[in-house]
Amino acid sequence: MKKYRGVFLKNEREIGLLREANRMVACILDELGKEVRPGLPTMYFEEIVQKMCREFKVKPGFQGMYGFPYALCCSINEEVVHGFPSEDRILQEGDIVSFDVGTIYQGFFGDAARTFAVGKVSAEAEKLMRVTSECLELGVSEARTGNELRMISAAVQKHAEDAGCGVIRQYVGHGLGTNLHEKPEVPNFVMEGHGLLPLKVGMVLCIEPMISLGSSDVEVLEDKWTAVTRDRSLAAHFEHSVAILPGGPQILDRP
């Protein structure tokens, strides 16, 4: 692995391992999405992640990381990220639920997230999920050589704010490799003096818009993990792991 301004540049073999780790994440998210319906405890989805990791013969990427106790981050409605699965929390018609999943394959991490509707949801919730997904695709489109990192951030921020949505600022995307969180940070908003880094072939970035229908401010609940919007407005989260290649960005969790 070469290093460029503190960022590890991956070679073809390393990107292949990251692609496989993320292929497994995509399969897990596909299965979780198929199972989403009212009446299920969120621990049901944790069990799916654990089972599929065993079948793939990989370790869950998040469990034990910084002390996080589960394989799955499961965040409902106003919960932005890092929500705990629970036997007591039951999905209700009209909820939206975000699943964030990681794997470790031969020492390399996979990491991706999607937000799903539980049954029929409000027009506002539909809009939020659509806008957040579009933010992700626009951010990915800027992840190419010749651009600077801040162009990813600007694309996400502009689309979200043009739609009247809030951009969460406390949590950002990141590099990905043999560590879950590598340099550089990938904010979903333009920070003064940040993001002037030219993008290079071999970078692998987790681009992950976290967007709300209201405030961009969050607070962390008593479990010391679950982040919620301060005004309790709905939030959505979508994430891809993206390799910057000579032909442009490649989404590693999109088989």
Side-chain angles (χ1 to χ4, degrees):
M1 242 183 273
K2 295 180 180 178
K3 209 167 185 182
Y4 159 73
R5 291 175 63 173
V7 177
F8 288 109
L9 303 180
K10 280 73 178 181
N11 59 34
E12 185 176 346
R13 182 190 71 85
E14 291 160 343
I15 288 174
L17 293 170
L18 287 163
R19 184 181 293 111
E20 181 62 11
N22 278 286
R23 181 192 69 80
M24 296 174 186
V25 170
C27 290
I28 293 169
L29 286 169
D30 285 346
E31 187 63 26
L32 295 177
K34 290 175 188 173
E35 293 295 316
V36 170
R37 58 187 182 274
L40 290 176
T42 55
M43 188 58 74
Y44 176 80
F45 300 96
E46 167 76 9
E47 291 165 357
I48 290 174
V49 178
Q50 295 281 3
K51 176 176 179 288
M52 292 187 73
C53 283
R54 288 194 299 271
E55 290 171 350
F56 285 134
K57 296 181 171 57
V58 295
K59 293 181 179 179
F62 300 161
Q63 192 167 24
M65 184 68 63
Y66 315 121
F68 189 79
Y70 299 103
L72 173 68
C73 293
C74 178
S75 307
I76 299 173
N77 295 335
E78 74 279 3
E79 297 172 355
V80 181
V81 284
H82 305 154
F84 286 3
S86 168
E87 289 289 359
D88 299 324
R89 186 71 184 270
I90 309 298
L91 292 183
Q92 305 293 326
E93 182 86 15
D95 285 344
I96 61 173
V97 57
S98 298
F99 295 132
D100 193 357
V101 174
T103 59
I104 308 172
Y105 172 72
Q106 294 189 24
F108 285 80
F109 280 82
D111 186 9
R114 300 178 199 167
T115 301
F116 297 95
V118 183
K120 183 174 176 56
V121 301
S122 68
E124 291 82 4
E126 289 277 9
K127 172 190 171 181
L128 175 65
M129 291 189 294
R130 174 180 56 78
V131 168
T132 308
S133 178
E134 290 169 350
C135 284
L136 176 55
E137 298 304 321
L138 290 166
V140 170
S141 72
E142 298 293 341
R144 59 184 67 249
T145 56
N147 284 354
E148 292 184 335
L149 183 67
R150 67 190 292 117
M151 297 172 75
I152 298 173
S153 306
V156 172
Q157 181 178 12
K158 183 178 189 305
H159 189 66
E161 292 181 349
D162 284 352
C165 295
V167 179
I168 303 302
R169 284 164 162 73
Q170 189 165 332
Y171 301 97
V172 298
H174 50 90
L176 186 73
T178 55
N179 291 295
L180 178 60
H181 296 123
E182 296 186 352
K183 292 182 178 180
E185 290 189 340
V186 187
N188 296 307
F189 59 97
V190 177
M191 298 170 60
E192 188 67 32
H194 181 85
L196 300 177
L197 181 73
L199 299 176
K200 298 286 188 182
V201 168
M203 287 183 175
V204 177
L205 306 175
C206 288
I207 302 173
E208 49 178 323
M210 287 162 267
I211 308 298
S212 78
L213 282 178
S215 173
S216 61
D217 295 327
V218 302
E219 59 187 35
V220 178
L221 300 183
E222 289 183 1
D223 63 20
K224 298 184 179 179
W225 279 100
T226 307
V228 300
T229 52
R230 191 173 296 278
D231 62 2
R232 301 305 192 264
S233 59
L234 291 179
H237 178 202
F238 285 87
E239 175 184 14
H240 284 317
S241 291
V242 181
I244 298 176
L245 300 178
Q250 182 177 104
I251 297 172
L252 300 180
D253 55 286
R254 182 177 283 170

